[in-house]
Amino acid sequence: MSFEKFKLNEKILAGVQAQGYKDPTPIQLQSIPPIMEGRDVMGLAQTGTGKTAAFVLPILQRLMQGSRGYVRALIIAPTRELSEQTHNSIVQLGRRTNLRSVSIYGGVNINGQISKLKKDVEIISACPGRLLDHINRGTVDLSRIEVLVLDEADHMFDMGFLPDIRKIVKHLPAKRQTLLFSATMPEDIRSLANDLLINPVNIKIGHTAPVETVSHKFYPVQMNSKTDLLKDILNKTEMDSVLVFTRTKSRAKSVALQLDKSGYKVTSLHGNLTQQKRQRALDGFRDGRYEIMVATDIAARGIDVTRISHVINYDMPSTADAYTHRIGRTGRATKTGDAFTFVTGEDIGLANALKKVLGEKLEYQNIDGLTMSMPVDDRTPLRRNTSGRSAKPSKGRNHFSPKARMNSRPKQRSFDSSNRSQWAH
Ligand code: AMP
């Protein structure tokens, strides 16, 4: 089914076309009609499924009807990056609509935001803390909001934002449409949804990205061999752009530094960076100046880089859900990707739990001198592997070594079927 069936205004369809979207994704198919009818929606979907357009398109449609010049839609997101990305999607999809959108988040000077808010803005994408700041200063008027979106609600809960959200909601009209999106549904989110949503349509999009379109490889390894293993994989595997996850900010920084010393085009993203540096790192990763980004979970939430070919878990995530979120960065929308996870002795419990979820999709890898032999259960210690099967480099010319990259052509970053074999449409 194409987007025409939704009967969106042709100016909005022009935005969809300009973005290169041909067919709606499952979450768009299921959410757009009820949202356009004005229903509340509770969407269980992770990032990478096309959920932003699923709520942005009906919001644009609604706002094109009715009067202009005051704030009518509010989208609340947990991180600055997500709030900026949503704002960008609104700008792109709504390029012909003349609707005005602004993003509001902390870490940057408030005065620029205050002057933007004075310019007849109709849509706000905001992080909770800075939005409350504007409410308290009286620099934003939310009294005529028609649609409220809570995006990545579970992350907002993880980051302790739920009390702020409840405070913000008190400044909105009771009569409004509310949409809540979350990748998981912990009890606190369920109770928030019960309080805020009225007779919602429930939509559930399975964890399709990790299970269906991503291949998963686990490397049993000792902590002190991780960086060597990482370099070995980067050298041997054909990769496009790679997101590496570490557990701590300091490790993100030190791994990036070590890769940089070895000649890789690498940047890092973690909470200790100023907003300007975070944006520079993200822009550089998006436009291909950096081929590797080393990030912590919080910093990487919601990152939308169209072609992340590989996610490497340098450190294992702490829960199966966190694994799903990380892996959601690759295999986005209709593409495929690879996920490599380094498993130390401490991680065996979670590795076994993930093994049950991933089943046949999961492969254990051995690389002589770098990996350990995988124990059958979590009571068996890991042993260094010296005679196992050695991982062969994948076929193709552009292996991810600094030298090979010097000879390779600049890479194109878009939805495009000419991408190499890592990607399937
Ligand atoms: P999201 O889940 O909103 O972060 O979207 C993930 C990625 O999918 C973004 O790069 C979107 O631009 C892209 N996308 C969204 N909808 C579609 C679509 N219908 N067809 C192709 N790509 C899409």
Side-chain angles (χ1 to χ4, degrees):
M1 177 188 143
S2 72
F3 280 90
E4 270 85 31
K5 297 255 171 63
F6 294 129
K7 304 230 179 318
L8 292 162
N9 183 296
E10 62 183 41
K11 291 188 173 159
I12 301 172
L13 278 178
V16 170
Q17 217 166 24
Q19 284 295 88
Y21 301 170
K22 291 199 172 60
D23 300 308
T25 64
I27 183 118
Q28 291 162 0
L29 278 174
Q30 292 185 46
S31 318
I32 292 176
I35 301 178
M36 283 178 72
E37 280 170 24
R39 298 281 308 266
D40 283 2
V41 165
M42 163 121 123
L44 200 57
Q46 62 196 34
T47 185
T49 51
K51 73 176 161 54
T52 315
F55 62 78
V56 166
L57 293 172
I59 288 178
L60 292 173
Q61 177 77 13
R62 175 196 266 260
L63 300 198
M64 284 199 73
Q65 298 143 13
S67 31
R68 296 266 176 116
Y70 55 92
V71 186
R72 295 170 65 194
L74 172 64
I75 298 143
I76 307 184
T79 62
R80 305 158 189 184
E81 283 77 18
L82 185 59
S83 136
E84 189 67 25
Q85 261 167 222
T86 305
H87 164 70
N88 287 336
S89 297
I90 294 165
V91 170
Q92 296 299 327
L93 291 167
R95 65 209 315 169
R96 301 259 320 270
T97 63
N98 288 331
L99 287 162
R100 285 172 190 259
S101 159
V102 68
S103 54
I104 297 287
Y105 46 78
V108 292
N109 192 300
I110 198 163
N111 294 326
Q113 296 174 353
I114 294 176
S115 50
K116 280 185 192 156
L117 284 168
K118 285 184 184 153
K119 291 186 184 148
D120 302 337
V121 167
E122 282 127 344
I123 311 174
I124 297 180
S125 296
C127 292
R130 179 57 69 90
L131 181 63
L132 265 181
D133 203 351
H134 281 284
I135 292 174
N136 294 335
R137 288 166 182 248
T139 48
V140 67
D141 176 9
L142 303 177
S143 65
R144 288 187 281 175
I145 288 286
E146 296 166 36
V147 191
L148 167 69
V149 182
L150 299 174
D151 197 7
E152 301 208 350
D154 50 350
H155 289 155
M156 297 212 264
F157 165 61
D158 289 346
M159 294 166 83
F161 286 144
L162 291 204
D164 282 358
I165 287 169
R166 289 186 185 273
K167 279 186 209 154
I168 292 167
V169 167
K170 291 203 176 106
H171 295 266
L172 309 180
K175 187 175 173 301
R176 58 161 197 270
Q177 182 178 23
T178 307
L179 317 172
L180 184 148
F181 292 90
S182 193
T184 56
M185 201 46 70
E187 193 41 47
D188 297 72
I189 299 299
R190 206 173 290 283
S191 96
L192 181 78
N194 278 341
D195 294 346
L196 300 186
L197 305 180
I198 300 170
N199 189 22
V201 176
N202 288 295
I203 290 165
K204 190 174 168 188
I205 300 296
H207 287 170
T208 46
V211 181
E212 303 297 332
T213 63
V214 177
S215 82
H216 306 260
K217 295 190 169 87
F218 278 15
Y219 294 80
V221 64
Q222 268 182 335
M223 187 64 217
N224 59 9
S225 301
K226 281 184 176 181
T227 304
D228 289 338
L229 176 62
L230 177 62
K231 288 184 192 163
D232 188 78
I233 291 172
L234 291 172
N235 287 342
K236 285 178 176 167
T237 316
E238 188 182 341
M239 292 180 166
D240 189 357
S241 61
V242 185
L243 185 54
V244 178
F245 280 100
T246 61
R247 201 166 289 159
T248 62
K249 300 175 201 173
S250 61
R251 201 171 294 158
K253 205 168 143 186
S254 78
V255 171
L257 201 67
Q258 289 175 71
L259 293 181
D260 182 63
K261 279 190 186 146
S262 302
Y264 293 96
K265 291 197 231 162
V266 59
T267 185
S268 61
L269 190 73
H270 51 80
N272 285 348
L273 299 177
T274 61
Q275 179 57 23
Q276 210 181 12
K277 284 192 175 153
R278 281 161 75 132
Q279 203 56 51
R280 210 180 302 146
L282 264 175
D283 291 346
F285 188 48
R286 234 177 240 135
D287 67 26
R289 258 176 297 141
Y290 303 116
E291 288 165 315
I292 306 167
M293 175 180 271
V294 189
T296 56
D297 285 286
I298 301 256
R301 256 169 208 166
I303 286 183
D304 173 19
V305 174
T306 315
R307 269 194 355 180
I308 293 177
S309 63
H310 290 71
V311 166
I312 301 183
N313 293 314
Y314 184 95
D315 293 319
M316 188 92 166
S318 46
T319 62
D321 268 345
Y323 182 87
T324 302
H325 286 303
R326 286 183 180 185
I327 302 315
R329 305 285 96 78
T330 187
R332 294 171 80 76
T334 50
K335 299 176 171 189
T336 60
D338 284 304
F340 297 160
T341 301
F342 296 177
V343 183
T344 65
E346 283 174 18
D347 306 321
I348 299 294
L350 182 57
N352 283 335
L354 283 169
K355 198 161 100 181
K356 286 197 189 110
V357 178
L358 300 171
E360 285 176 9
K361 303 258 173 199
L362 174 61
E363 290 172 38
Y364 283 98
Q365 305 291 310
N366 288 324
I367 298 182
D368 263 0
L370 287 173
T371 58
M372 322 287 285
S373 39
M374 194 64 199
V376 283
D377 62 43
D378 50 7
R379 288 177 302 276
T380 323
L382 294 173
R383 285 183 210 296
R384 186 172 279 278
N385 174 42
T386 48
S387 61
R389 183 168 51 91
S390 179
K392 288 200 186 81
S394 62
K395 289 195 183 99
R397 283 169 293 119
N398 288 331
H399 294 302
F400 210 55
S401 69
K403 206 169 150 207
R405 280 198 325 282
M406 274 158 49
N407 298 327
S408 65
R409 282 183 293 117
K411 284 161 190 157
Q412 200 186 337
R413 268 153 212 274
S414 62
F415 270 125
D416 128 11
S417 55
S418 66
N419 296 340
R420 291 186 307 274
S421 57
Q422 297 286 347
W423 294 99
H425 251 290

